[in-house]
Amino acid sequence: MVSPRPAVEALPAYRPGRNPADLAREIGVDRAIKLASNEVAFPPLPAVVQAVTAAAGETNRYPDNGAAVLTAALAERYGVDPGQIASGCGAVTLCQELAQAYSEPGTSIAFAWRSFEMYPLLARVAGARPVQVPLVPGRDGGPADTHDLDGLLAAIDDTTRLVFVCNPNNPTGTAVRRGELERFLDAVPATTLVVLDEAYREFVSDGDVPDGVELMRGRDNVAVLRTFSKAWGLAGLRVGYLIAEDPAVAEAVRKTHVPFSVSMLAQAAAVAALASEDEVRRRCAAVVAERARLTGELRERGLDVADSQANFVWLPVGEQAAPLAEALEARAVITRPFPGEGVRVTVGAPEEDDAFLAALDAVRDDVRVAVRPA
């Protein structure tokens, strides 16, 4: 019998959010609501639909492996050289390519925990040791939900090749501010690459949460990850990108890139989305406003909800996470539980969030969701 590597065999399978159509059929309702995967509720941008339709007529050909048009558009947008950019099939693929480019057995990858669930899996696949640094409370008396940058710095040693800083953090939605992040970056050894994972950057409303691309400049061991899957509405097409101060970092990622993995349709859609930035900004502003409303409604119900800088909110309900998510699914609302820790709820359209709140009101007594004292 042929067996995979023990490290791979021991990996848990990635679990995406449930398909709402499947849940609707299962429980016998017309429609289920999915607030589990941090997608935006808006339909694709009109320019994206037009670009994808035009590109579909060329899909008998391979896509441009270097994504030259997209790379040039990104380089102009951020004021960098095209050689500083690498594209990939979503930001998670770039995380994997970074791990492959910089890690090997005997090295380590450090990151906060809980954070993006793929970090420890990608470390193990690359043969590296995952180093998890626990989150700390972001406010007095609050739950552990924020990066401990001092702890992360202390965890770096001679084996540490990569450090991931997810800002805003997934799944808690909290973000580290400019001063502490600058101090952290200045203290990290030059031989360790810091990757600022900014998948949710477009939803940041706190002016003291820095733009990673600004902090990257002048720091050769810093790279930034962004994605078109969230704010830009291209989750179904999968395209992300990396910007590195040192072009050698982007070149290393391109060397581990799976050829042609960013499809022709994805490249065309991303270019069209960038040209529609004004509309994207309006959509993000609507998400931020709805996030504030949803946060206020949850706090009125006594739930301890931190200020989120992403397009989701975090319910730190501990051991009730799995029962709560299961009870909500029984009422046709899909959320993302992290058993023993909390439930992540995507900010949806107002009517979707109202349905979630109604379902929460209906089940919370049965599930015994803890509330914060008034």
Side-chain angles (χ1 to χ4, degrees), residues 1-355:
M1 176 180 174
V2 178
S3 299
R5 290 165 42 211
V8 173
E9 195 167 30
L11 290 178
Y14 178 77
R15 294 182 59 191
R18 285 200 65 180
N19 185 300
D22 291 342
L23 176 62
R25 285 191 296 270
E26 181 181 308
I27 64 177
V29 297
D30 292 335
R31 176 176 178 256
I33 293 170
K34 183 183 178 186
L35 301 176
S37 299
N38 302 339
E39 302 140 328
V40 292
F42 298 99
L45 294 157
V48 165
V49 175
Q50 183 177 359
V52 168
T53 300
E58 302 292 328
T59 52
N60 58 308
R61 304 295 183 183
Y62 284 110
D64 174 11
N65 191 52
V69 176
L70 173 58
T71 299
L74 289 168
E76 181 178 0
R77 184 177 193 270
Y78 291 105
V80 299
D81 187 271
Q84 295 175 256
I85 296 174
S87 59
C89 184
V92 66
T93 298
L94 290 160
C95 288
Q96 181 173 345
E97 291 165 358
L98 282 162
Q100 291 172 330
Y102 286 94
S103 300
E104 59 189 348
T107 64
S108 63
I109 298 176
F111 47 88
W113 196 253
R114 174 169 292 272
S115 192
F116 182 39
E117 61 191 294
M118 289 301 294
Y119 296 154
L121 306 185
L122 296 176
R124 293 188 181 101
V125 168
R129 176 172 56 94
V131 178
Q132 300 180 177
V133 177
L135 298 173
V136 294
R139 61 194 189 284
D140 291 341
D145 59 7
T146 302
H147 275 69
D148 177 6
L149 291 184
D150 289 337
L152 197 55
L153 184 63
I156 297 173
D157 60 24
D158 292 342
T159 71
T160 311
R161 302 303 306 279
L162 290 172
V163 176
F164 285 103
V165 178
C166 189
N167 201 40
N169 187 47
N170 176 17
T172 61
T174 58
V176 292
R177 270 60 185 178
R178 181 180 306 276
E180 57 183 322
L181 188 52
E182 286 180 333
R183 288 190 294 272
F184 172 78
L185 294 177
D186 288 341
V188 172
T191 53
T192 297
L193 178 65
V194 180
V195 181
L196 302 178
D197 187 347
E198 296 188 332
Y200 302 94
R201 171 64 204 173
E202 293 86 353
F203 302 108
V204 171
S205 57
D206 184 339
D208 199 29
V209 177
D211 182 327
V213 177
E214 295 177 5
L215 297 190
M216 174 201 79
R217 300 185 194 277
R219 295 180 169 96
D220 284 344
N221 66 331
V222 176
V224 178
L225 289 177
R226 299 275 177 92
T227 182
F228 285 94
S229 294
K230 312 304 182 190
W232 303 86
L234 303 185
L237 288 172
R238 311 300 297 128
V239 54
Y241 56 99
L242 171 143
I243 307 175
E245 178 69 356
D246 184 354
V249 173
E251 176 64 18
V253 170
R254 288 192 292 270
K255 287 181 178 180
T256 56
H257 174 76
V258 176
F260 308 117
S261 58
V262 183
S263 75
M264 181 183 296
L265 301 184
Q267 292 181 40
V271 171
L274 285 173
S276 304
E277 186 167 357
D278 288 345
E279 175 58 25
V280 172
R281 289 183 182 276
R282 285 190 288 270
R283 292 181 174 195
C284 288
V287 171
V288 168
E290 178 62 10
R291 180 182 73 197
R293 184 185 78 90
L294 179 60
T295 299
E297 292 281 357
L298 290 167
R299 287 175 177 169
E300 285 183 6
R301 289 161 169 79
L303 287 160
D304 190 5
V305 181
D307 290 332
S308 174
Q309 294 297 312
N311 69 331
F312 54 83
V313 295
W314 173 247
L315 309 183
V317 294
E319 294 301 323
Q320 297 307 109
L324 175 59
E326 184 178 349
L328 290 170
E329 280 197 14
R331 292 183 173 270
V333 178
I334 304 168
T335 58
R336 188 61 176 268
F338 294 80
E341 299 175 71
V343 175
R344 190 188 68 197
V345 184
T346 303
V347 176
E351 61 273 16
E352 293 176 325
D353 294 337
D354 287 342

